[in-house]
Structures are given as C-alpha cells and as structure tokens.
Amino acid sequence: MTDSTPGSFYDQVGGHDTFVRLVDVFYDGVAQDDLLKPMYPEEDLGPAKERLLMFLEQYWGGPTTYSERRGHPRLRMRHRPFHVDPPARDRWLTHMRAAVDSLRLPPLYEETLWDYLQRAAHAMVNTFEPAGIGAPPDGRDRGNLSVTVRDDTPD
C-alpha cells in the first residue's frame, strides 16, 4: 500500500489480505458469542466467512466474486429470516470493532470502514421485539407465529 497509488479503497488498505484478516478476527468473536452464533445456519462458520469476505471485497472495489456467485447482495432480504434486534446489532458491532482495530489502518481508512459497518449494522435491524419473541431459540424466523386464543366470554 502506497499513498501515491490511486485506486480503490480495497487496494489502498491492502487488498485481499486485509479483508481476510478483518473477516477472520470478526468470526473468531462470533464463534464464541452465545447470541450471534446460533443465527448461522452452518455449524462451520467457513461458508459465512466466505460470503462476508466476498461481499466486503466487492463493496470496497475488489473482485466481483460475490455478485458472480450469489447475485445482487440484497442484504436486508438475506437477513430477514433472523431475529436482528438492537442487542444482536450491538454484539455484531462489538466483534467487528475488534476486527477493524486488528487491522491498524491509518485513521482516515479506519473511520471510512467503521462508518460503513455501523450504518450497515443499523440497517440490518429488523425487529425491536425482545429475543424469544418472533424467533425460535436458533435465531431463525420461520414465519410461524403461535397465538393462543383465550375465551373469557361468560356462558
């Protein structure tokens, strides 16, 4: 990385290796998180790591592998099945903050990256209901709302 190299943010921060480190450190935190880990459908976080890496690389000007393999990102749609409430968002940001800090980027790059990640995390919130309401314990909303009807009418 050199200051005189015009190019994408991706290139300026170190390219593939930088984003691999970001994603690896982030998922090291997620793997130990009792709130976030259940939201990942695969037991192995490898596929999720690959998806996030491809997305971030493409977003920041790197390879377009994400779109080639998965189409348009549609982040809100892809996160809709999960109970993403403010506590989940905050945990996500905690692990991502540690990941960003691990990169030791120059301040302008760090601020640019962090600003985007915060905005993205806030945009993914899809419920303000407490955990346990609207989603089963594994964090996935399967569209089933259980309703108990009480009949309190007098005979």
Side-chain angles (χ1 to χ4, degrees), residues 90-138:
D90 294 346
R91 290 274 189 94
W92 191 93
L93 284 169
T94 295
H95 299 302
M96 193 54 80
R97 179 75 255 176
V100 169
D101 289 347
S102 76
L103 300 176
R104 294 188 167 89
L105 295 173
L108 179 59
Y109 296 126
E110 182 272 327
E111 290 168 18
T112 301
L113 179 59
W114 183 241
D115 178 66
Y116 167 75
L117 293 167
Q118 284 184 297
R119 287 183 290 115
H122 284 273
M124 293 305 106
V125 171
N126 58 26
T127 185
F128 290 92
E129 295 293 336
I133 298 177
D138 68 358

Side-chain angles (χ1 to χ4, degrees), residues 142-153:
R142 292 178 178 77
N144 299 334
L145 292 177
S146 174
V147 177
T148 303
V149 177
R150 260 184 34 188
D151 184 6
D152 289 341
T153 58

Side-chain angles (χ1 to χ4, degrees), residues 27-110:
Y27 277 106
D28 286 348
V30 169
Q32 306 304 314
D33 192 293
D34 61 340
L35 178 64
L36 296 182
K37 176 67 170 75
M39 291 188 196
Y40 289 85
E42 304 96 356
E43 182 60 33
D44 172 20
L45 291 174
K49 288 171 78 168
E50 181 181 11
R51 290 187 299 268
L52 181 59
L53 176 62
M54 289 187 306
F55 172 77
L56 290 173
E57 285 186 317
Q58 179 172 305
Y59 181 86
W60 291 104
T64 58
T65 312
Y66 186 94
S67 288
E68 292 164 10
R69 291 189 188 169
R70 296 182 52 85
H72 190 280
R74 297 185 199 117
L75 294 181
R76 287 199 44 90
M77 180 197 78
R78 292 183 195 273
H79 289 82
R80 187 172 179 261
F82 304 99
H83 188 92
V84 183
D85 60 3
R89 174 205 60 211
D90 294 346
R91 290 274 189 94
W92 191 93
L93 284 169
T94 295
H95 299 302
M96 193 54 80
R97 179 75 255 176
V100 169
D101 289 347
S102 76
L103 300 176
R104 294 188 167 89
L105 295 173
L108 179 59
Y109 296 126
E110 182 272 327

